[in-house]
Amino acid sequence: MKKNKILVTGGLGFIGSHTVVELQNKGFDVVIIDDLSNTKIEVLDGITAITNIRPEFVQMDLKKKEDVVSFFKHHDIDGVIHFAASKAVGESVEQPLKYYENNISTLVYLLQSMTENKVPHLIFSSSCTVYGQADELPITENAPVKKAESPYGNTKQIGEEIIQDVTKVENLNAIALRYFNPIGAHDSVHIGELPLGVPQNLIPFVTQTAAGIREELSVFGDDYPTPDGTAVRDYIHVVDLAKAHIVALQRLLQGKNKSKMEYFNLGTGTGSSVLDVIHAFEKANQMDVNYKIVARREGDITAAYANTTLANEELGWKADLGLEEALYSAWQWQLKQK
Ligand code: WQD
């Protein structure tokens, strides 16, 4: 029987690579497009080392519309999982046009080629950042989308709206997956998070501090209205997150979606503070993390964690791995970095 062929854009990235592994584990035929702007080609070897199946790889800049058109002329694609985007919140504030060009024009070219070539299924990488600081916690999919705090967050909101409009007039079914905070690494330690330069996100900074690469972790504020004063997030193991993409894709392929565009929050449902993370890391790995409390980071929200009811009951997915497991895997991955 012909295998479904899935295009994964940004498939050599952190979440993308873990999703490719899970797609191959489920028997899908995978082709990756990545421009290698924020990853390394060695990730392809890491995926292959895990599954023994080398995915087809096309190095491409999705901003080149003619290349996108040509790709779809030469590949018979059954569905697309679209990760490719710039994702650094702080950088997006300094370089908004880079983010609007890279995250929006590429989505438009992708959708044009999908509709012209009758590719009817799209999974879109979105983010809980669309909620800003939600009024109610835990956050449900009905929480209002608030004015984005950054151009990065705005590109996710605009992206969802573009897809929604296209599903109204084209033969396109889509699911937007709104991630909370993805962390950790595959337990094989062949793939993981590869922050290039100084890490912006908490976990890579924690592991690099533990590894002595960074002098000290700065905890951005301990004066938030939270139990220990530090900000709260919903940290989800990247493997759990990857598996959710397969479940969502199968929902579309089997025609089980209840509307042409659906939204699911992907989190554990548990909020953890920055200090909770530090203590969990120290416990999971039997080591100390050197940190100091500094001022809040501009644009940070106090707390965000998911109401997982819709994902659990409608999508049929829930996170299985806990914070300590994720932090253990993150450290094992860090130890492997040169
Ligand atoms: C987590 C917490 C920081 C670094 C962003 C995007 C989101 C997604 C994940 C792309 C916050 C604190 C951090 C540090 C710290 N990105 N922190 N010291 O900001 O919740 O989410 O990244 O998909 O869309 O919005 O993640 O890891 O940067 O921060 O104290 O050195 O850790 O203040 O409370 P964030 P983060």
Side-chain angles (χ1 to χ4, degrees):
M1 188 177 88
K2 176 183 170 298
K3 284 184 178 181
N4 279 312
K5 186 161 192 175
I6 307 301
L7 164 62
V8 181
T9 72
L12 294 186
F14 176 37
I15 306 168
S17 56
H18 288 81
T19 301
V20 168
V21 165
E22 299 307 328
L23 280 167
Q24 293 185 323
N25 288 345
K26 287 290 184 187
F28 287 96
D29 190 13
V30 177
V31 52
I32 294 170
I33 287 178
D34 203 299
D35 65 2
L36 299 180
S37 63
N38 195 25
T39 185
K40 297 174 183 168
I41 188 65
E42 287 78 9
V43 174
L44 196 55
D45 301 328
I47 293 168
T48 309
I50 296 169
T51 63
N52 292 318
I53 307 166
R54 193 169 191 82
E56 184 183 352
F57 170 63
V58 176
Q59 183 174 350
M60 185 198 297
D61 179 348
L62 290 169
K63 294 194 290 294
K64 294 201 173 119
K65 180 176 180 177
E66 63 281 1
D67 291 353
V68 179
V69 170
S70 171
F71 174 89
F72 277 87
K73 291 275 178 276
H74 296 92
H75 290 81
D76 180 15
I77 300 294
D78 297 293
V80 177
I81 303 182
H82 181 45
F83 291 105
S86 300
K87 63 162 197 168
V89 173
E91 184 189 47
S92 78
V93 174
E94 289 150 25
Q95 302 180 54
L97 285 175
K98 171 184 174 182
Y99 276 67
Y100 289 116
E101 182 187 37
N102 194 43
N103 295 6
I104 302 299
S105 63
T106 55
L107 175 63
V108 169
Y109 299 154
L110 182 69
L111 290 169
Q112 285 172 329
S113 283
M114 285 181 70
T115 50
E116 280 156 24
N117 292 277
K118 299 183 176 24
V119 179
H121 305 301
L122 171 67
I123 303 296
F124 178 62
S125 170
S126 190
S127 169
C128 65
T129 206
V130 302
Y131 300 114
Q133 177 54 69
D135 301 326
E136 286 181 42
L137 294 171
I139 303 173
T140 72
E141 288 80 355
N142 299 322
V145 170
K146 287 192 176 176
K147 177 161 176 26
E149 308 249 346
S150 70
Y152 160 75
N154 205 22
T155 65
K156 289 303 178 184
Q157 290 179 10
I158 296 167
E160 288 186 358
E161 289 167 6
I162 291 171
I163 297 165
Q164 171 88 41
D165 287 344
V166 174
T167 60
K168 287 174 185 163
V169 293
E170 298 286 353
N171 175 25
L172 178 73
N173 295 290
I175 293 178
L177 297 177
R178 292 170 173 171
Y179 312 148
F180 281 67
N181 288 56
I183 64 168
H186 194 269
D187 60 11
S188 68
V189 207
H190 286 303
I191 54 175
E193 192 167 5
L194 274 178
L196 304 182
V198 178
Q200 296 304 304
N201 293 130
L202 177 63
I203 303 315
F205 210 107
V206 167
T207 59
Q208 290 191 11
T209 303
I213 298 168
R214 306 289 162 198
E215 181 75 21
E216 190 175 47
L217 169 71
S218 295
V219 174
F220 296 143
D222 68 346
D223 58 349
Y224 286 100
T226 62
D228 66 17
T230 63
V232 170
R233 298 290 185 274
D234 185 335
Y235 296 96
I236 176 170
H237 197 299
V238 65
V239 172
D240 276 331
L241 192 62
K243 289 178 176 174
H245 288 72
I246 316 319
V247 175
L249 176 67
Q250 288 170 326
R251 179 179 175 89
L252 293 182
L253 290 170
Q254 293 159 13
K256 291 182 178 168
N257 51 306
K258 291 184 176 158
S259 63
K260 294 199 74 187
M261 182 157 185
E262 296 180 314
Y263 306 83
F264 292 98
N265 288 346
L266 296 183
T268 65
T270 300
S272 300
S273 73
V274 179
L275 291 178
D276 288 336
V277 168
I278 292 170
H279 299 146
F281 181 89
E282 293 177 330
K283 182 176 175 213
N285 299 302
Q286 296 301 303
M287 60 193 308
D288 292 334
V289 174
N290 189 22
Y291 71 90
K292 66 183 174 189
I293 305 292
V294 300
R296 294 184 179 189
R297 178 172 65 178
E298 186 67 30
D300 273 350
I301 59 169
T302 300
Y305 49 95
N307 178 314
T308 59
T309 306
L310 199 64
N312 300 159
E313 295 179 4
E314 184 57 45
L315 191 55
W317 164 91
K318 70 181 285 292
D320 293 324
L321 302 167
L323 182 62
E324 286 190 29
E325 286 170 278
L327 294 169
Y328 176 79
S329 67
W331 178 235
Q332 293 306 307
W333 169 249
Q334 180 65 60
L335 288 174
K336 196 177 168 197
Q337 304 314 304
K338 295 178 193 57

